[in-house]
Amino acid sequence: MKFLSLIFGNLRRKKLRTALTVLSIIVAFVLFGYLGAIRAAFLAGIDVAGADRLITRNKVSLINLMPMAHLAEIERVEGVDMAAHNTWFGGIYQEPSNFFAQIVVEPEALLELFPEYVVSEEDQRRWLATRTGVLIGRGLAERFEWSVGDKVPIMNPLWSQQGGDPNWVFDVAAIYDGAEQGVDTSQMFIRFDFFDEARSGGQGLVGWYTVRIDDPDRAAEVAVAIDQVFANSPDETKTEPEGAFIQGFANQMGNIGFIITSIVGAVFFTILLVAGNTMAYSVRERINELAVLKAVGFTDGGVLGLVLGESLVITVIGGGIGLALAWLMVSAGDPTGGALPVFFIPLRDLLLGVLLIFVLAFIAGIFPARMAQRLQVADALRR
Amino acid sequence: MSETAMAENPQPEDDLLVDVRGVDKVFKRGSETVHVLGGLDLQIPRGEFLALMGPSGSGKSTLLNLVGGLDRPTEGSITVGGQRIDKLSDRKLAGWRANHVGLVFQFYNLMPVLSARRNVELPLLLTKLSAKERRKRAELALEIVGLSHRLGHYPRQMSGGEQQRTGIARAIVTDPTLLLCDEPTGDLDRKSGDEILDLLQALNREQGKTIIMVTHDQLAADRATRTLHLDKGRLVTGMQGQGTG
């Protein structure tokens, strides 16, 4: 602490240069935090995906439907605990920009398979008793200010009702919360019995199966066994862990994680050069002063520590403000108005940000610090 | 020649503070080897105010640096206060400098980003003193050099003489055994220079500080109790100055 006045004094020496360096670090960390939130939004669900859950879909494509009869055969595969079918509804609420996921499910199976969706017993009872009822996430309810009892009209160009009417009306019967941060609460779940009876075609066909297995360690083995059951049939399947399925879904838009990591990497490399350059100049222009410090008794290690301390102060101030600003911006909510339903900076990214602050400080400071450390007092005093 | 320096000032062992024996200092500049000091012997008793004179490149500052532990001899030994400083590790030597040596430079070498008080406090940062005690001692040192009214001023706000007095305050704040001054009046006008010399003389006479001062100025050297001349790395003559007695 007693050296802080010396460290801050040196940083005040060239106020503009220090301010610009801090500013560039702030920008880098704002980008880091904000892009981290966007990446988390695109990959939402992977982290909370059940290790004991597999997804079985049509081998040709996710949009190809499969017979409901597969369910019984899947449940007979050794290692399978239970399975349930799901179907993409894909309707439009008022206008296409109000996009949110609507999935047709068997209510009892959904509640059992997905413990991360927390639904009160009262809401569960209400949903099970209402054929036109839907279960919606808290985020979705807040987005459109829906509450239990509201009627929600959905126009569906994919699935029309018998008679050709594309307009469906559902009753909000229950609302779920996420058991942890990262659970997608922007979805709507529609009861299959109502849907299957009302749709104009495709009865008995479903989109994909969620399969719960006994032993997560046997996931690969069970997935192969399921696919073998339907091999050489008209509806061959592809089974994979739920996390991989979600990742594949996100990758339809490109490898978001790689793209964002590349951008952040390039930004930090640039910032490293900026901060390193600042520190190098800072040391080079006061060789004489550093020699005086050594002359009055500062050790080589002490001088090394002082320079590293300056680097640390710059990055802690810049990185701290940057991460705080990113947090505030992300807290303001999804910038797309709904396309990124899970929008937050994961704790892992925040911790990584803090680690980056120290790594940046070290790498930017170590070379000038070593130069200061190696200074020969008598030589440097003559300069 | 070095014998001259010894013969004129035979000292009992107890009174001897600096004992330089057979010191060589060689610098390498590329492929060229420069012998700056050769076989130099020098004894300095406690409480002496010694002036070192000589032409540029004669080795005055090199000798000062060696005695102050800022550099190491190529050959020979340097003992200060009974301690062989040429044998100390870099770390121990830094600690020894902090405790035993005060340095005064020609161009003051103050930290421009620190106030006078903070500059004087610098060597005390290496001690375990509390912030309050450090502050108190720094203020006392500045009072001794007559700058108690300039505590919060930065170097750029002070005259050359005031900056040098601040430098002297920084040198004495740890109460060192030895004050090493490298042309302390070289950058000052005569009046300011005289004030600095008055101050050094007072520190020598009233506080018993042993002072070694490198200077080109005969008037400055006259303030010392003894003057030694160096030429081409060897002591050539010694004489008593006006400061004697």
Side-chain angles (χ1 to χ4, degrees):
Chain A
M1 290 297 283
K2 59 188 175 183
F3 298 107
L4 276 181
S5 63
L6 193 54
I7 288 173
F8 279 106
N10 284 324
L11 293 178
R12 282 197 301 269
R13 182 188 305 259
K14 302 273 186 187
K15 292 190 184 75
L16 182 63
R17 183 176 67 194
T18 303
L20 290 175
T21 305
V22 169
L23 195 60
S24 60
I25 294 172
I26 288 174
V27 171
F29 276 88
V30 166
L31 272 176
F32 170 81
Y34 205 75
L35 290 178
I38 291 175
R39 180 179 52 196
F42 272 100
L43 304 179
I46 294 176
D47 289 342
V48 291
D52 60 351
R53 290 197 297 255
L54 306 177
I55 300 292
T56 299
R57 64 171 175 85
N58 193 300
K59 190 177 180 181
V60 176
S61 162
L62 183 59
I63 61 170
N64 286 56
L65 301 175
M66 291 184 294
M68 222 174 85
H70 277 15
L71 180 63
E73 293 186 71
I74 290 172
E75 285 184 323
R76 275 200 295 273
V77 172
E78 192 189 340
V80 171
D81 178 36
M82 73 172 285
H85 58 76
N86 312 264
T87 305
W88 185 255
F89 188 72
I92 297 166
Y93 172 65
Q94 294 179 338
E95 52 188 277
S97 61
N98 285 341
F99 171 84
F100 58 91
Q102 302 134 26
I103 301 167
V104 181
V105 299
E106 290 180 291
E108 296 91 341
L110 177 95
L111 294 171
E112 189 174 347
L113 275 170
F114 293 90
E116 62 262 40
Y117 300 150
V118 180
V119 189
S120 70
E121 285 188 13
E122 187 186 348
D123 277 16
Q124 286 187 33
R125 276 197 298 275
R126 190 183 305 112
W127 189 30
L128 294 175
T130 312
R131 276 168 53 80
T132 55
V134 290
L135 169 68
I136 62 171
R138 180 74 59 195
L140 184 63
E142 288 173 356
R143 181 180 169 194
F144 294 115
E145 297 180 348
W146 292 339
S147 53
V148 170
D150 285 355
K151 286 195 178 297
V152 178
I154 304 276
M155 196 281 285
N156 194 326
L158 299 175
W159 299 106
S160 58
Q161 296 196 65
Q162 286 181 9
D165 184 3
N167 297 304
W168 299 67
V169 177
F170 300 103
D171 296 294
V172 177
I175 295 175
Y176 72 88
D177 291 291
E180 59 184 291
Q181 201 175 29
V183 172
D184 185 356
T185 59
S186 72
Q187 305 170 97
M188 169 186 278
F189 295 106
I190 299 162
R191 284 178 54 148
F192 179 76
D193 52 357
F194 168 63
F195 167 75
D196 197 42
E197 191 179 295
R199 62 179 163 175
S200 59
Q203 273 76 10
L205 296 175
V206 295
W208 68 91
Y209 292 95
T210 302
V211 181
R212 189 168 70 195
I213 55 177
D214 295 325
D215 181 3
D217 292 339
R218 293 183 58 213
E221 182 189 332
V222 175
V224 169
I226 292 172
D227 291 342
Q228 277 176 349
V229 171
F230 305 106
N232 301 315
S233 75
D235 296 294
E236 289 190 314
T237 59
K238 180 182 178 185
T239 304
E240 58 192 343
E242 189 178 60
F245 173 78
I246 297 169
Q247 175 89 61
F249 199 78
N251 284 352
Q252 288 178 13
M253 279 179 275
N255 191 336
I256 300 297
F258 176 75
I259 293 168
I260 289 179
T261 303
S262 300
I263 294 171
V264 170
V267 168
F268 270 89
F269 181 70
T270 309
I271 293 308
L272 187 62
L273 297 182
V274 171
N277 193 43
T278 299
M279 291 310 301
Y281 265 110
S282 167
V283 167
R284 232 176 283 142
E285 69 194 11
R286 58 191 164 104
I287 293 287
N288 190 266
E289 289 175 34
L290 291 167
V292 170
L293 286 180
K294 287 191 175 186
V296 301
F298 281 68
T299 59
D300 293 345
V303 173
L304 176 109
L306 270 182
V307 177
L308 280 178
E310 286 174 30
S311 183
L312 185 63
V313 167
I314 286 179
T315 50
V316 163
I317 292 174
I321 293 175
L323 285 178
L325 281 177
W327 180 268
L328 285 175
M329 289 164 70
V330 169
S331 300
D334 170 15
T336 65
L340 303 173
V342 178
F343 195 63
F344 68 102
I345 304 177
L347 179 63
R348 185 182 52 200
D349 282 12
L350 279 177
L351 293 177
L352 181 63
V354 172
L355 181 67
L356 269 175
I357 288 175
F358 288 96
V359 171
L360 184 63
F362 181 78
I363 298 179
I366 189 62
F367 294 107
R370 287 279 294 151
M371 185 165 79
Q373 183 190 26
R374 285 195 294 257
L375 274 183
Q376 294 299 316
V377 190
D379 290 344
L381 282 174
R382 273 195 287 270
R383 292 183 200 177
Chain B
M1 284 171 248
S2 57
E3 288 166 7
T4 311
M6 293 174 73
E8 286 182 355
N9 295 280
Q11 294 297 327
E13 286 292 315
D14 289 352
D15 287 345
L16 196 62
L17 180 64
V18 179
D19 189 7
V20 177
R21 289 186 187 271
V23 161
D24 287 351
K25 181 64 187 177
V26 177
F27 288 113
K28 291 209 169 183
R29 289 178 191 149
S31 57
E32 190 186 356
T33 302
V34 182
H35 290 265
V36 181
L37 295 176
L40 192 134
D41 292 332
L42 172 65
Q43 284 73 45
I44 302 170
R46 284 181 197 280
E48 187 169 57
F49 184 172
L50 174 72
L52 279 176
M53 295 191 76
S56 292
S58 60
K60 307 182 297 291
S61 294
T62 301
L63 177 58
L64 200 72
N65 288 340
L66 292 174
V67 173
L70 302 177
D71 205 351
R72 292 173 188 278
T74 310
E75 287 291 336
S77 70
I78 299 172
T79 306
V80 181
Q83 175 113 45
R84 270 289 295 272
I85 63 168
D86 57 293
K87 293 287 185 191
L88 294 175
S89 66
D90 286 347
R91 188 180 178 80
K92 283 186 176 168
L93 192 58
W96 176 82
R97 282 198 302 270
N99 291 321
H100 298 286
V101 180
L103 293 156
V104 180
F105 305 94
Q106 179 180 358
F107 298 110
Y108 332 126
N109 284 350
L110 300 176
M111 301 286 158
V113 295
L114 300 180
S115 66
R117 184 177 62 73
R118 292 275 191 195
N119 262 292
V120 174
E121 210 179 307
L122 262 184
L124 297 178
L125 294 179
L126 301 167
T127 67
K128 290 179 179 169
L129 294 173
S130 66
K132 191 178 170 188
E133 185 62 24
R134 290 199 305 269
R135 186 187 178 100
K136 195 173 139 191
R137 291 196 187 189
E139 288 175 2
L140 179 63
L142 281 163
E143 191 181 323
I144 289 171
V145 300
L147 284 181
S148 50
H149 60 298
R150 293 292 218 178
L151 299 177
H153 286 66
Y154 287 83
R156 64 179 180 277
Q157 298 168 318
M158 296 191 285
S159 68
E162 286 174 327
Q163 288 187 60
Q164 191 58 296
R165 279 195 273 165
T166 306
I168 293 172
R170 181 179 64 188
I172 63 172
V173 72
T174 54
D175 193 22
T177 325
L178 191 58
L179 269 185
L180 303 178
C181 310
D182 195 353
E183 301 198 42
T185 60
D187 194 47
L188 300 175
D189 58 47
R190 174 57 61 194
K191 181 172 176 292
S192 300
D194 281 344
E195 287 172 3
I196 293 301
L197 292 168
D198 288 344
L199 183 57
L200 292 176
Q201 235 173 355
L203 288 169
N204 173 246
R205 286 175 176 169
E206 293 162 23
Q207 298 194 24
K209 297 291 176 202
T210 305
I211 300 175
I212 306 175
M213 176 176 69
V214 165
T215 183
H216 282 106
D217 179 1
Q218 185 59 54
L219 289 175
D222 288 346
R223 302 289 198 101
T225 52
R226 180 164 63 126
T227 301
L228 294 176
H229 289 263
L230 273 120
D231 190 24
K232 294 176 184 170
R234 292 175 185 277
L235 289 167
V236 292
T237 180
M239 59 184 289
Q240 299 296 319
Q242 292 175 357
T244 307

Coordinates of all heavy atoms in Angstrom, one line a residue, chain B residues 15-80:
Chain B
D15 N 38.6 4.3 14.0 CA 38.1 5.5 13.4 C 37.9 5.4 11.9 O 37.4 6.3 11.3 CB 39.1 6.7 13.7 CG 39.0 7.1 15.1 OD1 38.0 6.7 15.8 OD2 39.9 7.8 15.6
L16 N 38.3 4.2 11.4 CA 38.3 4.1 9.9 C 36.9 3.7 9.5 O 36.3 2.7 9.9 CB 39.3 3.0 9.5 CG 39.6 2.9 8.1 CD1 40.3 4.2 7.6 CD2 40.6 1.7 7.8
L17 N 36.3 4.5 8.6 CA 35.0 4.1 8.1 C 35.1 3.5 6.7 O 34.4 2.4 6.5 CB 34.1 5.4 7.9 CG 32.7 5.2 7.4 CD1 31.9 4.3 8.4 CD2 32.0 6.5 7.2
V18 N 35.9 4.0 5.8 CA 36.0 3.5 4.5 C 37.4 3.0 4.2 O 38.3 3.7 4.5 CB 35.6 4.5 3.4 CG1 35.7 3.9 2.0 CG2 34.2 5.1 3.6
D19 N 37.5 1.7 3.8 CA 38.8 1.2 3.5 C 38.8 0.5 2.2 O 38.2 -0.5 1.9 CB 39.1 0.1 4.6 CG 40.6 -0.4 4.5 OD1 41.3 0.2 3.7 OD2 40.9 -1.3 5.3
V20 N 39.4 1.2 1.2 CA 39.5 0.7 -0.2 C 40.9 0.2 -0.4 O 41.9 0.9 -0.2 CB 39.2 1.9 -1.1 CG1 39.3 1.4 -2.6 CG2 37.8 2.5 -0.9
R21 N 41.0 -1.1 -0.8 CA 42.3 -1.7 -1.0 C 42.5 -2.3 -2.3 O 41.7 -3.2 -2.7 CB 42.6 -2.7 0.1 CG 42.8 -2.1 1.5 CD 43.1 -3.1 2.6 NE 43.1 -2.4 3.9 CZ 44.2 -1.8 4.4 NH1 45.3 -1.8 3.7 NH2 44.1 -1.3 5.6
G22 N 43.5 -1.9 -3.0 CA 43.9 -2.5 -4.3 C 42.8 -2.6 -5.3 O 42.6 -3.6 -6.0
V23 N 42.0 -1.5 -5.4 CA 40.8 -1.6 -6.3 C 41.1 -1.2 -7.7 O 41.7 -0.2 -8.0 CB 39.7 -0.7 -5.7 CG1 38.7 -0.3 -6.8 CG2 39.0 -1.3 -4.6
D24 N 40.7 -2.2 -8.6 CA 40.8 -1.9 -10.0 C 39.3 -1.9 -10.5 O 38.4 -2.6 -10.0 CB 41.4 -3.1 -10.8 CG 42.9 -3.2 -10.6 OD1 43.4 -2.2 -10.0 OD2 43.5 -4.2 -10.9
K25 N 39.1 -1.0 -11.5 CA 37.8 -1.0 -12.2 C 38.0 -0.9 -13.7 O 38.6 0.0 -14.2 CB 36.9 0.1 -11.7 CG 35.5 0.1 -12.3 CD 34.7 -1.1 -11.9 CE 33.4 -1.1 -12.7 NZ 32.6 -2.3 -12.4
V26 N 37.5 -2.0 -14.3 CA 37.7 -2.0 -15.8 C 36.3 -2.1 -16.4 O 35.4 -2.8 -16.0 CB 38.5 -3.3 -16.1 CG1 38.6 -3.5 -17.7 CG2 39.8 -3.3 -15.5
F27 N 36.1 -1.2 -17.4 CA 34.9 -1.2 -18.2 C 35.2 -1.8 -19.6 O 36.2 -1.6 -20.1 CB 34.3 0.2 -18.4 CG 33.7 0.8 -17.1 CD1 34.3 1.8 -16.5 CD2 32.6 0.2 -16.6 CE1 33.8 2.4 -15.3 CE2 32.0 0.7 -15.4 CZ 32.6 1.8 -14.8
K28 N 34.2 -2.5 -20.1 CA 34.4 -3.0 -21.5 C 33.4 -2.2 -22.4 O 32.2 -2.2 -22.1 CB 34.1 -4.5 -21.6 CG 35.1 -5.3 -20.9 CD 35.3 -6.7 -21.5 CE 36.5 -7.4 -20.9 NZ 36.8 -8.6 -21.5
R29 N 33.9 -1.6 -23.4 CA 33.0 -0.9 -24.3 C 33.3 -1.6 -25.7 O 34.2 -1.3 -26.4 CB 33.4 0.6 -24.4 CG 32.9 1.3 -23.2 CD 33.3 2.8 -23.2 NE 33.1 3.4 -21.9 CZ 33.8 4.4 -21.4 NH1 34.8 4.9 -22.1 NH2 33.5 4.8 -20.2
G30 N 32.4 -2.5 -26.0 CA 32.6 -3.3 -27.2 C 33.8 -4.1 -27.0 O 34.0 -4.9 -26.0
S31 N 34.7 -4.0 -28.0 CA 36.0 -4.8 -27.9 C 37.0 -4.1 -27.1 O 38.1 -4.6 -26.8 CB 36.5 -5.1 -29.3 OG 36.7 -3.9 -30.0
E32 N 36.7 -2.8 -26.7 CA 37.7 -2.0 -26.0 C 37.6 -2.2 -24.5 O 36.5 -2.3 -24.0 CB 37.5 -0.5 -26.4 CG 38.6 0.4 -25.9 CD 38.2 1.9 -26.2 OE1 37.1 2.1 -26.8 OE2 39.0 2.7 -25.8
T33 N 38.8 -2.3 -23.8 CA 38.8 -2.4 -22.4 C 39.3 -1.1 -21.8 O 40.4 -0.6 -22.2 CB 39.7 -3.5 -21.9 OG1 39.2 -4.7 -22.5 CG2 39.7 -3.7 -20.4
V34 N 38.6 -0.5 -20.9 CA 39.0 0.8 -20.3 C 39.3 0.6 -18.9 O 38.4 0.2 -18.1 CB 37.9 1.9 -20.5 CG1 38.3 3.2 -19.9 CG2 37.5 2.0 -21.9
H35 N 40.5 0.9 -18.5 CA 40.9 0.8 -17.1 C 40.6 2.2 -16.4 O 41.3 3.1 -16.6 CB 42.4 0.5 -16.9 CG 42.7 -0.9 -17.4 ND1 42.8 -2.0 -16.5 CD2 42.9 -1.4 -18.6 CE1 43.1 -3.1 -17.2 NE2 43.1 -2.8 -18.5
V36 N 39.6 2.2 -15.6 CA 39.2 3.5 -15.0 C 39.9 3.7 -13.7 O 40.3 4.8 -13.4 CB 37.6 3.5 -14.8 CG1 37.2 4.8 -14.2 CG2 36.9 3.3 -16.1
L37 N 40.0 2.7 -12.9 CA 40.8 2.8 -11.6 C 41.8 1.6 -11.6 O 41.5 0.5 -12.0 CB 39.8 2.6 -10.4 CG 38.8 3.7 -10.2 CD1 37.9 3.3 -9.0 CD2 39.4 5.1 -9.9
G38 N 43.0 1.9 -11.1 CA 44.0 0.9 -11.0 C 44.7 0.9 -9.7 O 45.3 1.8 -9.3
G39 N 44.6 -0.3 -9.0 CA 45.3 -0.5 -7.8 C 45.1 0.6 -6.7 O 46.1 1.0 -6.1
L40 N 43.9 1.0 -6.6 CA 43.7 2.2 -5.7 C 43.5 1.8 -4.3 O 42.7 0.9 -3.9 CB 42.4 3.0 -6.2 CG 42.2 4.3 -5.6 CD1 41.9 5.3 -6.7 CD2 41.1 4.3 -4.6
D41 N 44.2 2.5 -3.4 CA 44.0 2.4 -1.9 C 43.5 3.7 -1.4 O 44.0 4.7 -1.8 CB 45.3 2.0 -1.3 CG 45.8 0.6 -1.6 OD1 44.9 -0.3 -2.0 OD2 47.0 0.4 -1.6
L42 N 42.6 3.6 -0.5 CA 42.1 4.8 0.1 C 41.4 4.5 1.5 O 40.6 3.6 1.6 CB 41.0 5.5 -0.8 CG 40.2 6.7 -0.2 CD1 41.2 7.9 0.0 CD2 39.1 7.1 -1.2
Q43 N 41.8 5.3 2.5 CA 41.2 5.1 3.8 C 40.5 6.5 4.2 O 41.2 7.5 4.1 CB 42.2 4.7 4.9 CG 42.6 3.3 4.8 CD 43.5 3.0 3.6 OE1 44.5 3.7 3.3 NE2 43.2 1.9 2.9
I44 N 39.3 6.4 4.7 CA 38.6 7.6 5.1 C 38.1 7.4 6.5 O 37.3 6.4 6.8 CB 37.4 7.8 4.1 CG1 37.9 8.0 2.7 CG2 36.6 9.1 4.6 CD1 36.8 8.0 1.7
P45 N 38.5 8.2 7.4 CA 38.1 8.1 8.8 C 36.7 8.6 9.0 O 36.2 9.4 8.1 CB 39.1 9.0 9.6 CG 39.5 10.0 8.6 CD 39.5 9.3 7.2
R46 N 36.0 8.2 10.0 CA 34.7 8.6 10.4 C 34.7 10.1 10.6 O 35.7 10.7 11.1 CB 34.2 8.0 11.7 CG 33.8 6.6 11.6 CD 33.3 6.1 12.9 NE 33.3 4.6 12.8 CZ 32.3 3.9 12.3 NH1 31.3 4.5 11.8 NH2 32.4 2.6 12.2
G47 N 33.7 10.8 10.1 CA 33.6 12.2 10.4 C 34.3 13.1 9.4 O 34.3 14.3 9.6
E48 N 35.0 12.5 8.4 CA 35.7 13.3 7.5 C 34.8 13.9 6.4 O 33.8 13.3 6.0 CB 36.8 12.5 6.8 CG 37.8 13.4 6.0 CD 39.0 12.6 5.5 OE1 38.9 11.6 4.9 OE2 40.1 13.1 5.8
F49 N 35.2 15.0 5.9 CA 34.6 15.7 4.7 C 35.6 15.7 3.7 O 36.5 16.5 3.6 CB 34.1 17.1 5.1 CG 33.3 17.8 4.0 CD1 32.7 19.0 4.3 CD2 33.1 17.2 2.7 CE1 31.9 19.6 3.3 CE2 32.4 17.9 1.8 CZ 31.8 19.1 2.0
L50 N 35.6 14.7 2.8 CA 36.6 14.5 1.8 C 36.1 15.0 0.4 O 35.0 14.7 0.0 CB 36.9 13.0 1.7 CG 37.9 12.6 0.6 CD1 39.3 13.1 0.9 CD2 37.9 11.1 0.4
A51 N 37.0 15.8 -0.2 CA 36.7 16.2 -1.6 C 37.5 15.4 -2.6 O 38.7 15.2 -2.3 CB 36.9 17.7 -1.7
L52 N 36.9 15.0 -3.6 CA 37.6 14.2 -4.7 C 37.6 15.1 -5.9 O 36.6 15.5 -6.4 CB 36.9 12.9 -5.0 CG 37.2 11.7 -4.1 CD1 36.3 10.6 -4.6 CD2 38.6 11.3 -4.1
M53 N 38.8 15.5 -6.4 CA 38.9 16.3 -7.6 C 39.7 15.6 -8.7 O 40.4 14.6 -8.4 CB 39.6 17.6 -7.2 CG 38.8 18.5 -6.3 SD 39.5 20.2 -6.1 CE 38.9 20.9 -7.7
G54 N 39.6 16.1 -9.8 CA 40.3 15.5 -10.9 C 39.7 15.8 -12.2 O 38.5 16.2 -12.3
P55 N 40.4 15.7 -13.3 CA 39.8 15.9 -14.6 C 38.7 14.9 -15.0 O 38.6 13.9 -14.3 CB 41.0 15.8 -15.6 CG 42.0 15.0 -14.9 CD 41.8 15.2 -13.4
S56 N 37.9 15.3 -16.0 CA 36.8 14.4 -16.4 C 37.5 13.0 -16.9 O 38.5 13.0 -17.5 CB 36.1 15.0 -17.6 OG 35.4 16.1 -17.2
G57 N 36.8 11.9 -16.5 CA 37.3 10.6 -16.8 C 38.4 10.1 -15.9 O 39.0 9.1 -16.2
S58 N 38.7 10.8 -14.8 CA 39.8 10.4 -14.0 C 39.4 9.3 -13.0 O 40.2 8.7 -12.4 CB 40.3 11.6 -13.2 OG 39.3 12.2 -12.4
G59 N 38.1 9.1 -12.9 CA 37.6 8.0 -12.1 C 36.9 8.4 -10.8 O 36.6 7.6 -9.9
K60 N 36.7 9.7 -10.7 CA 36.1 10.2 -9.4 C 34.7 9.6 -9.1 O 34.5 9.1 -8.0 CB 35.9 11.8 -9.4 CG 37.2 12.5 -9.8 CD 36.9 14.0 -9.8 CE 35.8 14.5 -10.8 NZ 36.2 14.4 -12.2
S61 N 33.9 9.7 -10.1 CA 32.5 9.2 -9.9 C 32.5 7.7 -9.8 O 31.7 7.2 -9.0 CB 31.6 9.7 -11.1 OG 31.4 11.1 -11.1
T62 N 33.4 7.1 -10.5 CA 33.4 5.6 -10.4 C 33.8 5.2 -9.0 O 33.2 4.3 -8.4 CB 34.5 5.1 -11.4 OG1 34.1 5.5 -12.7 CG2 34.6 3.6 -11.3
L63 N 34.8 5.9 -8.4 CA 35.2 5.6 -7.1 C 34.1 5.9 -6.1 O 33.8 5.1 -5.2 CB 36.4 6.5 -6.7 CG 36.9 6.4 -5.3 CD1 37.3 4.9 -4.9 CD2 38.1 7.3 -5.0
L64 N 33.3 7.0 -6.3 CA 32.2 7.3 -5.5 C 31.1 6.2 -5.6 O 30.6 5.7 -4.5 CB 31.6 8.6 -5.9 CG 30.7 9.3 -4.9 CD1 31.6 9.9 -3.8 CD2 29.9 10.5 -5.6
N65 N 30.9 5.7 -6.8 CA 29.9 4.6 -7.0 C 30.3 3.3 -6.3 O 29.5 2.6 -5.7 CB 29.7 4.3 -8.5 CG 28.9 5.5 -9.2 OD1 28.2 6.2 -8.5 ND2 29.1 5.6 -10.5
L66 N 31.6 3.1 -6.3 CA 32.1 1.8 -5.7 C 32.0 1.9 -4.2 O 31.5 1.0 -3.5 CB 33.6 1.6 -6.1 CG 33.9 1.3 -7.5 CD1 35.4 1.2 -7.8 CD2 33.2 -0.1 -7.9
V67 N 32.3 3.1 -3.6 CA 32.2 3.2 -2.2 C 30.8 3.2 -1.7 O 30.4 2.7 -0.6 CB 32.9 4.5 -1.7 CG1 32.7 4.8 -0.2 CG2 34.4 4.5 -2.0
G68 N 29.9 3.7 -2.6 CA 28.4 3.7 -2.3 C 27.7 2.4 -2.6 O 26.5 2.3 -2.4
G69 N 28.5 1.4 -3.1 CA 27.8 0.2 -3.4 C 26.9 0.2 -4.6 O 26.0 -0.6 -4.8
L70 N 27.1 1.2 -5.5 CA 26.3 1.3 -6.7 C 27.0 0.5 -7.8 O 26.4 0.3 -8.9 CB 26.2 2.8 -7.2 CG 25.5 3.7 -6.1 CD1 25.5 5.1 -6.7 CD2 24.1 3.3 -5.8
D71 N 28.2 0.1 -7.6 CA 28.9 -0.7 -8.6 C 29.9 -1.5 -7.9 O 30.1 -1.4 -6.7 CB 29.7 0.3 -9.6 CG 29.9 -0.3 -10.9 OD1 29.7 -1.5 -11.1 OD2 30.4 0.5 -11.8
R72 N 30.5 -2.5 -8.6 CA 31.4 -3.4 -7.9 C 32.8 -3.3 -8.6 O 32.9 -3.1 -9.8 CB 31.0 -4.8 -8.1 CG 29.7 -5.1 -7.3 CD 29.2 -6.5 -7.7 NE 27.9 -6.8 -7.1 CZ 27.7 -7.1 -5.8 NH1 28.7 -7.3 -5.0 NH2 26.4 -7.3 -5.4
P73 N 33.9 -3.4 -7.8 CA 35.2 -3.3 -8.3 C 35.5 -4.6 -9.1 O 35.0 -5.7 -8.9 CB 36.1 -3.3 -7.1 CG 35.3 -3.9 -6.0 CD 33.9 -3.7 -6.3
T74 N 36.4 -4.4 -10.1 CA 36.9 -5.6 -10.9 C 37.8 -6.4 -10.0 O 37.8 -7.6 -10.0 CB 37.6 -5.1 -12.2 OG1 36.7 -4.2 -12.8 CG2 37.8 -6.3 -13.1
E75 N 38.6 -5.7 -9.3 CA 39.6 -6.3 -8.3 C 39.6 -5.5 -7.1 O 39.3 -4.3 -7.1 CB 41.0 -6.4 -8.9 CG 41.2 -7.3 -10.1 CD 41.2 -8.8 -9.6 OE1 41.5 -9.0 -8.4 OE2 40.9 -9.7 -10.5
G76 N 40.1 -6.1 -6.0 CA 40.3 -5.4 -4.7 C 39.1 -5.5 -3.8 O 38.1 -6.2 -4.1
S77 N 39.2 -4.8 -2.7 CA 38.2 -4.9 -1.7 C 37.7 -3.5 -1.2 O 38.5 -2.6 -1.2 CB 38.7 -5.7 -0.4 OG 39.6 -5.0 0.2
I78 N 36.5 -3.5 -0.8 CA 35.9 -2.2 -0.3 C 35.2 -2.5 1.0 O 34.3 -3.3 1.0 CB 35.0 -1.5 -1.3 CG1 35.7 -1.2 -2.6 CG2 34.4 -0.2 -0.6 CD1 34.8 -0.7 -3.7
T79 N 35.7 -2.0 2.1 CA 35.1 -2.2 3.4 C 34.5 -0.9 3.9 O 35.3 0.1 4.0 CB 36.1 -2.8 4.4 OG1 36.7 -3.9 3.8 CG2 35.5 -3.2 5.7
V80 N 33.3 -0.9 4.3 CA 32.7 0.3 4.9 C 32.0 0.0 6.2 O 31.2 -0.9 6.3 CB 31.6 0.9 3.9 CG1 31.0 2.2 4.5 CG2 32.2 1.2 2.6

